Amino acid sequence: MASSPLVDRHGHDVHGGHSGRRHPAHQFDTMEQQKESSTLGMWLFLVTEIMFFGGLFVAYLVYRTMYPAAFAAASSTLNVPLGALNTAVLICSSLTMALAIRSAQVNSRKGAVLFLLLTMLLGSTFLVVKGFEYADKFREHHVPGATFNFALENAHATAVTQAADPDFQRHAQIFFSLYFIMTGIHATHMIIGLGILAVLVFYTRRGKFDSEYYNPLEMTGLYWHFVDIVWIFLFPLLYLLGAHLHG
Amino acid sequence: MDTTVARSPILPTPETSFERPNYLNAEYGWKSWLFTLDHKRIALLYLLSVTVFFGLGGTFAGLIRLELLTPEGDLMGPDTYNRVFTMHGIIMVFFFLIPAIPAVLGNFLVPLMIGAKDLAMPRLNLASWYVYNLGGLFTLWAIVNGGVDTGWTFYTPFSTTYSNTYVVPTALGIFITGFSTIFTALNFIVTIHRMRAPGLNWFRLPLFIWSTYATSLIIMLGTPVIAITILLVGAERLLGLGIFNPKLGGDPVLFEHLFWFYSHPAVYIMILPAMGVISELIGHFARKKVFGYRVVAFASVAIAVLGFLVWGHHLFVAGESIYSATVFSVLSMLVAVPSAVKVFNWTATLYEGSISFQTPMLYALGFIGLFTIGGLTGVMVATLGIDPHVHDTYFIVAHFHYVMVGGTIMAYLGGIHYWWPKMTGRLYPGFLSKLSALLVFVGFNLTFFPQFILGYMGMPRRYWSYPPEFQVLNVLSTAGATVLAVGYTLPLCYFAWSIKYGKRSGDNPWGANSLEWDTPSPPPTENFYTTPVVTHGPYEYTREDVHNRTTQEANFG
Amino acid sequence: MSEHVITPVKTYVFVFVGLLVGTLATVLVSGLDLGWANNIVAMTIAILKALAVLYFFMELRHSTRMTALTAIAGFFWLVLMLLMIMMDYWSRHAIVLPVPGK
């Protein structure tokens, strides 16, 4: 097992301590206590994220219940293959993130850096694909606001939808409002995640983490996986609602 | 049987303890305060901030009462009045009531009460203070530019579409400040779970810790919901979306659901820490174990959980289904049970206790009475038959002021008076402080009891004028507000005075039997010289303790 | 604790493949018109995928009870909020009160 240079979190001299070479922060007694505290803290933060996104899921559920036809019609204009691709990309990035942490656990600094960079690459891919999707929506006049004009291309589909919901234009706009807000906030979380990953790559290359201390990697992993879970729910709810309408 | 807690090795006289290094004199200079990681200094920073906001919110309250002296709207126009009561509500709720006890007393006491050197995440703690002020700055900017007129409840579509005021900056300020409370709550939960001293199991914790813990749970689960709701309001306002606008297919009642899903638990965020303070005050000033310790502890958690299940009682007349309303009505009555249990237990603690009528105890006793009235009127308005008649009247205003002011603020003041010697090593003038407590009690009741009658008689809330037959009661209310203002201002003066000229308190002026008093007052930066080992629970008083208290208090003016 | 147990690469890859299979399945099923069952299938698959991420990638299987409790509490609260708000919308026309005089 290769050993890494002794780097204390505060840059202070390391004096033995309990589990070998590292010192916990002054308010803690052991490294174990520090690790458990930060893990619990991260999970608690994720709970707030569950409730934060949860409000949006509530709004979605309410309006979908109220306007099923308009929602299905609006959803059917989203690009399912691209959405599915993005889902696969994110799932892959969760894999690479897990492997990055595992690399740190086995003291493989190169492995950790590689997998962190792969995670960033996949995350960026997701955002690029999302950008293309947004551009499509803009072109089709499906962006809520002054330019909004939801005209279904298929005359039959339009007639069917209109019969089910005469106000389907306004209600489709609500769908797209929720679509942009939900995926937008999700994308914002991903951008923040990419920023944190970049910082982690920087510190990993400098040898800050090893099998005894890789907390920040683990916590970032939790955050990243959570953002993946949000997308796991967003994808079917937003993209697959009206998928059966195409047939 | 050894029932004593390991005490710190130094038992000094008042003079020497003060000159010794403590957290106040450890470092000097503005940098040592603004970049501190010491939870005790951060608590004092918060004390400063919340006091400023309290003053601001109180000023708006004064303007409201001044306008309502006369039936006609003569002091200001109706639009201005809307802004005044909105800003009063926003500042008091988000910038005073929610943070005050957790961020001031909680920050100071949690590590001390569990025998830890600091909170789990000191940098997060400092960050939370800065975030609080950042949010405050946005809101202050909005106020200076004319404020908001939507009511602190931001009901849509007025707030999203029709209001011509600074909704977005204010909402942004609240959004940002929400993170401040989340940081604090996160810190408390992790600290209480992971950093208790050896021997300190859950059922030896002071009840203040139980309440703080329950409060932190509510904050973590509820605050994000108002965050996303505010975000939606901002997005709707800025982008012209229709999520809450009926004209565009949206549902304003959905806003109310999302808003109150947080804002009802928010009132439990305000009252639970207050109840925690009262448990401490009652136990220590009655020199008796708090009756039914475990029941009170579990009641705190029960209030936190049940508090999430009742928000629909704010929507009784908003258009929610009658089925839903019935469920929420029943649950709302249920949530009163653990609160009432606490009141009964405090009362039982007093029975056959050795009661000392020091200033903190005066506030605690006042709390019990006023909170009971507030709570009972809450059960009244949870009743479906009554609420439609009193909704949006002064009855509601009186109800929530009884719990928030008669409850939370009384407990906050009681706590500050109790732990002031701990925080500063100084005592305040006894007579003046008791007089202030009395003024607060009398002033409060004079202000708000007439409002119950006014509301019952039909005076609407948030109106800038009223029928002339309501004037007498309004004048009484305003007179009470004046007395209340004096009662609130006096502590400001004598506390400031006491910092320099107050009598040195010694380490434990109250002779209280609780871990935070086992270390000098003011405490050293690292809190305890040696890590305490806890062998018994709090409030374990003997006859000897009672006797010692009597001699000690002879020294206290 | 999790620091002493290192998950083998194979496990991670296996879970990854499972998640991809789940994604494929949900896309394929959504193309069929099963009425209400569409929702149930889609949400079931999503929940299973989320559980896989939580249990394996987020290491809940090696975590303390406190951590697991925290995660469960978070999702439970979300479901609570969803159900109790929908309680209003689902019951809006269920009970119609008699109007006096009619």
Side-chain angles (χ1 to χ4, degrees):
Chain A
M1 202 155 81
S3 63
S4 316
L6 303 171
V7 179
D8 180 85
R9 294 182 81 205
H10 300 285
H12 296 149
D13 245 344
V14 176
H15 301 295
H18 292 256
S19 51
R21 300 163 301 155
R22 295 193 183 268
H23 238 358
H26 78 275
Q27 69 272 19
F28 293 113
D29 295 322
T30 63
M31 290 297 288
E32 174 102 0
Q33 189 188 33
Q34 180 174 287
K35 181 180 202 295
E36 281 174 15
S37 298
S38 51
T39 308
L40 179 60
M42 190 62 206
W43 273 103
L44 285 168
F45 173 69
L46 291 182
V47 167
T48 67
E49 292 277 43
I50 294 175
M51 296 309 288
F52 186 71
F53 279 101
L56 291 172
F57 282 106
V58 168
Y60 169 88
L61 190 55
V62 165
Y63 286 120
R64 175 172 154 173
T65 310
M66 279 166 51
Y67 313 130
F71 263 51
S75 163
S76 70
T77 68
L78 292 180
N79 192 328
V80 172
L82 277 187
L85 171 70
N86 256 355
T87 310
V89 163
L90 260 195
I91 291 172
C92 198
S93 77
S94 267
L95 172 68
T96 53
M97 187 73 219
L99 290 174
I101 295 167
R102 193 182 174 283
S103 299
Q105 285 177 318
V106 299
N107 267 316
S108 164
R109 194 199 313 181
K110 287 217 173 99
V113 172
L114 170 69
F115 284 118
L116 284 176
L117 286 172
L118 274 177
T119 311
M120 288 180 69
L121 182 66
L122 290 162
S124 309
T125 309
F126 178 93
L127 290 172
V128 165
V129 172
K130 204 92 215 81
F132 280 121
E133 285 186 86
Y134 279 4
D136 274 346
K137 286 293 119 202
F138 185 70
R139 242 188 328 101
E140 292 165 17
H141 297 285
H142 289 167
V143 176
T147 61
F148 187 79
N149 182 3
F150 184 65
L152 293 179
E153 270 119 35
N154 182 328
H156 170 71
T158 309
V160 167
T161 314
Q162 187 131 34
D165 182 356
D167 278 323
F168 81 94
Q169 285 271 5
R170 289 188 334 201
H171 301 163
Q173 182 163 194
I174 294 184
F175 174 87
F176 285 110
S177 300
L178 286 171
Y179 167 79
F180 278 106
I181 292 177
M182 290 169 98
T183 57
I185 293 180
H186 177 263
T188 309
H189 278 80
M190 292 218 43
I191 295 172
I192 294 172
L194 286 177
I196 297 174
L197 283 169
V199 171
L200 283 184
V201 166
F202 174 73
Y203 279 118
T204 311
R205 293 187 70 204
R206 287 175 79 185
K208 186 157 178 148
F209 308 117
D210 63 15
S211 61
E212 274 192 35
Y213 174 70
Y214 55 91
N215 245 19
L217 289 173
E218 210 166 25
M219 300 211 298
T220 307
L222 287 176
Y223 174 82
W224 192 262
H225 294 309
F226 176 76
V227 176
D228 185 16
I229 289 180
V230 173
W231 184 259
I232 284 175
F233 283 98
L234 281 184
F235 173 60
L237 290 175
L238 291 174
Y239 286 78
L240 302 182
L241 246 197
H244 61 273
L245 287 181
H246 288 302
Chain B
M1 179 173 82
D2 177 11
T3 55
T4 54
V5 170
R7 294 179 186 273
S8 59
I10 301 172
L11 294 166
T13 61
E15 278 64 40
T16 53
S17 87
F18 205 78
E19 261 69 51
R20 239 186 340 187
N22 58 58
Y23 80 101
L24 287 171
N25 62 27
E27 280 181 290
Y28 290 109
W30 61 272
K31 274 196 236 180
S32 75
W33 280 92
L34 290 184
F35 297 126
T36 183
L37 293 179
D38 182 358
H39 67 99
K40 300 182 288 299
R41 286 194 170 203
I42 294 173
L44 293 186
L45 289 175
Y46 260 112
L47 179 61
L48 202 66
S49 300
V50 303
T51 308
V52 167
F53 278 104
F54 181 65
L56 193 56
T59 308
F60 283 117
L63 288 171
I64 294 175
R65 285 313 328 157
L66 219 53
E67 168 62 80
L68 293 178
L69 260 181
T70 58
E72 315 83 31
D74 39 20
L75 186 64
M76 58 188 90
D79 286 327
T80 310
Y81 185 76
N82 289 349
R83 293 160 200 247
V84 169
F85 69 67
T86 302
M87 297 327 298
H88 167 70
I90 290 174
I91 293 172
M92 286 307 204
V93 168
F94 293 110
F95 294 95
F96 181 71
L97 286 167
I98 286 175
I101 299 180
V104 178
L105 296 174
N107 262 328
F108 198 94
L109 295 167
V110 167
L112 284 170
M113 282 183 168
I114 65 172
K117 295 190 202 104
D118 206 313
L119 289 176
M121 299 168 213
R123 285 175 299 185
L124 193 67
N125 200 9
L126 183 67
S128 90
W129 183 72
Y130 277 105
V131 169
Y132 170 84
N133 285 301
L134 182 64
L137 242 109
F138 275 100
T139 309
L140 283 173
W141 183 87
I143 293 177
V144 161
N145 281 287
V148 184
D149 65 352
T150 59
W152 81 275
T153 47
F154 286 106
Y155 279 1
T156 60
F158 182 61
S159 62
T160 51
T161 314
Y162 300 106
S163 171
N164 288 320
T165 56
Y166 287 87
V167 174
V168 174
T170 311
L172 187 61
I174 297 171
F175 183 87
I176 293 172
T177 303
F179 283 100
S180 161
T181 46
I182 288 177
F183 291 168
T184 302
L186 199 150
N187 230 337
F188 284 162
I189 294 177
V190 176
T191 306
I192 294 172
H193 268 284
R194 294 266 170 250
M195 294 175 71
R196 297 192 306 276
L200 190 52
N201 62 44
W202 280 87
F203 295 111
R204 288 179 178 166
L205 286 169
L207 287 167
F208 179 73
I209 299 291
W210 274 97
S211 299
T212 303
Y213 181 76
T215 308
S216 305
L217 292 177
I218 305 179
I219 292 174
M220 299 302 286
L221 291 164
T223 316
V225 179
I226 198 172
I228 191 66
T229 311
I230 287 175
L231 206 125
L232 287 174
V233 167
E236 180 145 328
R237 197 172 163 82
L238 291 173
L239 305 171
L241 308 175
I243 301 181
F244 300 126
N245 189 347
K247 266 191 173 174
L248 298 173
D251 187 3
V253 177
L254 177 63
F255 171 82
E256 293 195 33
H257 272 299
L258 291 172
F259 176 84
W260 286 110
F261 184 85
Y262 164 74
S263 300
H264 187 85
V267 314
Y268 295 105
I269 295 175
M270 299 177 213
I271 200 67
L272 268 174
M275 289 173 158
V277 172
I278 299 302
S279 290
E280 297 300 313
L281 297 182
I282 296 286
H284 293 300
F285 285 94
R287 267 300 183 277
K288 208 175 143 221
K289 227 169 147 171
V290 174
F291 183 86
Y293 169 93
R294 284 197 189 212
V295 174
V296 176
F298 289 136
S300 300
V301 180
I303 292 173
V305 172
L306 287 173
F308 269 101
L309 307 180
V310 302
W311 81 87
H313 64 231
H314 297 271
L315 281 73
F316 280 163
V317 298
E320 71 176 349
S321 76
I322 190 74
Y323 175 81
S324 202
T326 312
V327 171
F328 281 120
S329 174
V330 171
L331 289 169
S332 303
M333 306 214 182
L334 209 60
V335 79
V337 172
S339 307
V341 159
K342 286 194 173 199
V343 173
F344 287 131
N345 281 24
W346 290 322
T347 315
T349 310
L350 292 174
Y351 177 68
E352 286 196 339
S354 170
I355 300 176
S356 152
F357 290 99
Q358 295 287 357
T359 308
M361 187 56 154
L362 295 180
Y363 281 109
L365 294 172
F367 174 100
I368 295 180
L370 298 178
F371 173 74
T372 303
I373 296 176
L376 284 175
T377 50
V379 178
M380 283 174 68
V381 295
T383 311
L384 280 174
I386 298 182
D387 188 65
H389 300 282
V390 298
H391 177 82
D392 265 349
T393 68
Y394 263 85
F395 193 90
I396 303 286
V397 175
H399 154 68
F400 65 68
H401 281 92
Y402 260 81
V403 273
M404 295 201 292
V405 182
T408 303
I409 298 189
M410 296 275 281
Y412 173 71
L413 288 173
I416 298 282
H417 281 82
Y418 178 53
W419 281 296
W420 189 256
K422 183 88 242 157
M423 298 196 285
T424 60
R426 301 274 188 179
L427 295 173
Y428 42 83
F431 173 73
L432 209 51
S433 62
K434 291 184 193 177
L435 177 68
S436 303
L438 189 66
L439 285 174
V440 166
F441 186 80
V442 168
F444 170 83
N445 280 301
L446 192 55
T447 311
F448 291 106
F449 198 83
Q451 293 184 7
F452 275 127
I453 306 172
L454 280 169
Y456 205 70
M457 289 187 347
M459 178 175 170
R461 64 183 285 203
R462 294 177 169 171
Y463 272 43
W464 123 110
S465 66
Y466 53 81
E469 56 262 32
F470 293 149
Q471 182 168 24
V472 173
L473 290 168
N474 270 294
V475 171
L476 281 176
S477 184
T478 304
T482 317
V483 174
L484 195 57
V486 175
Y488 285 147
T489 314
L490 276 174
L492 215 58
C493 301
Y494 62 68
F495 278 137
W497 175 90
S498 78
I499 290 177
K500 201 145 184 245
Y501 304 109
K503 202 159 107 179
R504 305 271 172 86
S505 65
D507 287 342
N508 193 351
W510 314 110
N513 178 340
S514 169
L515 203 54
E516 79 269 21
W517 293 104
D518 277 339
T519 192
S521 304
T525 306
E526 66 270 28
N527 292 344
F528 295 91
Y529 291 116
T530 55
T531 306
V533 176
V534 180
T535 52
H536 66 83
Y539 330 111
E540 301 249 353
Y541 288 106
T542 62
R543 280 192 178 284
E544 207 179 80
D545 291 318
V546 178
H547 171 74
N548 283 341
R549 191 268 313 280
T550 335
T551 29
Q552 225 158 359
E553 272 180 21
N555 299 326
F556 189 171
Chain C
M1 296 288 140
S2 56
E3 56 185 327
H4 300 305
V5 183
I6 300 178
T7 311
V9 176
K10 245 198 279 188
T11 310
Y12 286 141
V13 174
F14 199 67
V15 172
F16 164 67
V17 171
L19 289 169
L20 286 181
V21 167
T23 310
L24 186 65
T26 203
V27 170
L28 291 176
V29 172
S30 72
L32 316 162
D33 187 355
L34 307 168
W36 249 103
N38 270 114
N39 300 320
I40 298 178
V41 171
M43 280 302 102
T44 307
I45 295 179
I47 289 172
L48 288 172
K49 285 162 81 179
L51 283 173
V53 174
L54 282 162
Y55 195 66
F56 291 102
F57 285 160
M58 294 173 89
E59 302 286 349
L60 265 186
R61 69 172 169 163
H62 296 139
S63 290
T64 61
R65 255 189 349 172
M66 185 64 210
T67 309
L69 196 63
T70 309
I72 293 172
F75 286 107
F76 179 75
W77 236 254
L78 169 62
V79 172
L80 193 79
M81 177 169 66
L82 270 166
L83 287 180
M84 287 191 75
I85 290 183
M86 288 313 297
M87 170 175 72
D88 177 19
Y89 289 92
W90 283 327
S91 66
R92 280 227 177 135
H93 303 289
I95 302 175
V96 181
L97 293 175
V99 179
K102 283 203 178 163

